[in-house]
Amino acid sequence: MKLKNILIAASLSAATMFGTGCTHKFEEMNDNPWTSNDLNIKHILPFTQTKAYSNGHEGWRTSIIMTGPMSGISSTYITTGSGFGENGEYTGAFFENLYRDMIRNIEDSKFRLKNDGSDEAMANYGRFSVVNVINQLRATQLYGDIPYSTAGKGYTEGIYYPAYDRQEDVLELMVKDLDEAATLISKVDELSSDDAYRVGIPYRDLYLKIINSLYIKIGVMMSESNPSRGAEIFAKGYGSKNFITAWSEAPVIHHTMEGGAWGHTVNGYGVANNSLVGGFSGNYFSPELLEYMQSHHDPRIFRLACHLDYSNARTEAFTDVSVYKDFDPFKQAHTNTPNTFEKVHFRGLRLGSTSEGSRSIYKVDGAEGNQQIDFWANRTLDIAENGQYITLAGISPEVFNATAPTIILGADEVNFFIAEAALLPGYGVSEAEGQTYLRNAVTLALSKYDAVGFGGGSLEEAFVDIYKKQTNPDYNHPANKSAYVDDVIQRYNAADSQGKREVVVTEHWASLTGDCINAFALVNRTGLPSFINRNLTETQRNFDLPVFDKDPLANDDATIIGENEVLLHTGGSTGGIRPYRFPYPGSELNANSANAEEAINRQRAETGVGGGTHFIAVPQWSNKR
């Protein structure tokens, strides 16, 4: 059966289950003849693999509004995430999407397969276990303690109100499940192709590589709080020498628009980036990421950044590069530097809780208000004229759109984890090996957009051509890619041990553009990059805009004659602490209150953070504190 037909069948089969959750209506579900016990498992597997990545409602809220700004990797005009605030609809979307039926379908399918007991059935049991780890690993990175061992077992074990496992225990239970899965999968010669993960190797080989790569990831995740145990788990994967090292080995989901923007086959983050699921999404580069890339002449700017076109009620990339003048994607706006304004083509959206503070860029003496950025081309100023200098750099919809692929576990990601492990005492990776893996990681990060099948290649070429024609005729794009990798290694070699780790983690962070949940987890675990500070500075709360004697857009000789302070950030719900987590959704606090409250109180006690601090500012077990 073709992949899209499997996905359609899975979606139709699961459609009757959407009204039930992991903590309510369990008695009805137990008597429901349409539980997954009556469904074909080969349809359920791709459904449980794709649904976590195919919901535009959730993708917009979890990634674009919340974790992107909180990780410093992207920004948006909706200030809930960037304002360190809370909104149950935004932070609960992932939890509801995962635990409403996905985890239950996995547990029901495993129950059926275990009853079958054949080697083939048990190998598929192991495959479901791996998918469960992948899905719930994202959940624990967002929420901390989760009901890993108890969720979804209303039908199979009568657990209607799941208790929450400590995050440390969640990771240990995942390792145990991966151990079992490796044993079961190793007993068969092959796995069926009824799978949503697209890859260039046989599925049996793929799942064994995924398992070992997850050991590597989980082991490094434990490095802050239990490094000795983390090193043991890491060694299980690294010592196997059978982990993901190339894009042909990395699991990827290929999405379609079958069923439209609200269908079950789209890329959830991408369809939100196209503004097809509820209005203009406004997904932009953060100044921190953009200016880091610009300062090192990162060649990915030509692929990932663009101005947005919202002229047809959907967000696309603005592609008419002929309108630009002296185009230079590397010139920095210095957006976070007070009393500064630069005419640049690509600028990021400043972190803030107020519209005036985050959007304003300068003031003209005597003018009624501040000059603000433009969200998309030709919104207030003509992009062919001065509009090109105030329009924000968007995360390109040419690359991240409704049919863009989703990378489940990247070859670059695994290599970055190993490179970081070389700088962790006791992890058993030499510095020389670490440097090799760092070079591999950066090389893979630069190549993945073509290797995996993302769009945007034609616009990248157009940007390169106009840059060479207007600004730098000697620019060589392939040579710049090689030079970028060499520059990373030079910076790495010149740094001390902590500096080396910052180079590795910062490059890892930059590679996660479009993967906001993993970026959020990386920043929380490491406290890096160091320029993504945990506590707001005074400049990040009250920001000084330059005041010019005349409009600098129209007058090159305009002079700064003063400054105008604007309120940028109130501190939000946390008093200015960058959030470490999402709160549990209100539906869970209402229907499963005893277990959810126990988890909240336990995590406060374990970190020593009392009730006076908002729960989203309480570190997770795995986080740097």
Side-chain angles (χ1 to χ4, degrees), residues 135-444:
N135 287 345
Q136 294 211 60
L137 190 59
R138 298 174 81 221
T140 193
Q141 290 179 138
L142 289 174
Y143 298 97
D145 294 4
I146 57 171
Y148 177 80
S149 65
T150 54
K153 295 182 177 178
Y155 175 74
T156 58
E157 298 184 26
I159 301 174
Y160 301 137
Y161 301 97
Y164 285 65
D165 300 303
R166 296 175 60 252
Q167 187 177 67
E168 181 179 16
D169 296 335
V170 168
L171 298 177
E172 291 284 4
L173 288 165
M174 287 178 173
V175 170
K176 182 179 178 181
D177 286 347
L178 293 172
D179 289 346
E180 180 185 39
T183 299
L184 295 173
I185 292 171
S186 296
K187 288 182 178 180
V188 298
D189 294 329
E190 62 181 8
L191 291 174
S192 72
S193 60
D194 301 315
D195 199 294
Y197 297 160
R198 303 290 91 185
V199 74
I201 59 176
Y203 279 106
R204 179 185 181 277
D205 298 342
L206 168 66
Y207 274 86
L208 293 176
K209 285 182 180 291
I210 291 175
I211 289 167
N212 288 319
S213 300
L214 287 169
Y215 288 144
I216 289 170
K217 182 171 183 174
I218 292 170
V220 176
M221 281 180 65
M222 298 179 76
S223 61
E224 289 292 333
S225 299
N226 192 346
S228 60
R229 177 56 179 153
E232 292 174 359
I233 296 169
F234 173 87
K236 291 165 68 71
Y238 183 64
S240 74
K241 300 303 179 186
N242 184 34
F243 44 82
I244 296 167
T245 59
W247 286 118
S248 61
E249 302 168 347
V252 173
I253 293 174
H254 291 175
H255 296 275
T256 76
M257 277 289 281
E258 194 81 42
W262 294 99
H264 299 297
T265 66
V266 298
N267 182 314
Y269 175 82
V271 77
N273 199 38
N274 283 139
S275 301
L276 294 175
V277 285
F280 180 67
S281 59
N283 189 21
Y284 303 106
F285 271 87
S286 70
E288 292 82 1
L289 174 60
L290 181 62
E291 293 180 21
Y292 173 79
M293 296 173 73
Q294 290 170 325
S295 68
H296 296 290
H297 278 217
D298 190 328
R300 288 171 291 190
I301 285 180
F302 292 101
R303 186 68 166 257
L304 298 178
C306 69
H307 294 138
L308 301 181
D309 182 349
Y310 193 57
S311 59
N312 293 307
R314 61 179 286 158
T315 301
E316 302 287 357
F318 181 79
T319 58
D320 184 6
V321 301
S322 67
V323 304
Y324 295 116
K325 305 171 184 177
D326 300 323
F327 178 71
D328 187 353
F330 299 122
K331 186 177 180 181
Q332 298 174 57
H334 302 291
T335 299
N336 292 328
T337 302
N339 209 27
T340 300
F341 171 74
E342 300 283 351
K343 289 174 65 173
V344 300
H345 290 99
F346 287 159
R347 66 176 65 245
L349 179 61
R350 191 181 296 121
L351 181 81
S353 63
T354 71
S355 298
E356 190 69 20
S358 60
R359 302 176 192 179
S360 297
I361 48 180
Y362 65 84
K363 181 177 176 62
V364 176
D365 188 38
E368 183 175 343
N370 299 316
Q371 175 64 55
Q372 296 194 341
I373 51 78
D374 259 351
F375 287 131
W376 59 80
N378 300 314
R379 179 173 177 262
T380 64
L381 295 181
D382 187 347
I383 191 73
E385 300 299 333
N386 287 326
Q388 63 189 265
Y389 304 118
I390 66 168
T391 304
L392 293 170
I395 305 292
S396 179
E398 289 280 295
V399 180
F400 298 104
N401 51 56
T403 59
T406 293
I407 299 171
I408 304 303
L409 188 57
D412 54 347
E413 180 183 11
V414 176
N415 278 263
F416 276 122
F417 280 126
I418 299 172
E420 185 184 351
L423 302 166
L424 300 174
Y427 273 69
V429 183
S430 70
E431 186 173 317
E433 290 174 315
Q435 185 181 124
T436 298
Y437 281 105
L438 175 60
R439 179 177 287 276
N440 292 343
V442 178
T443 302
L444 288 162

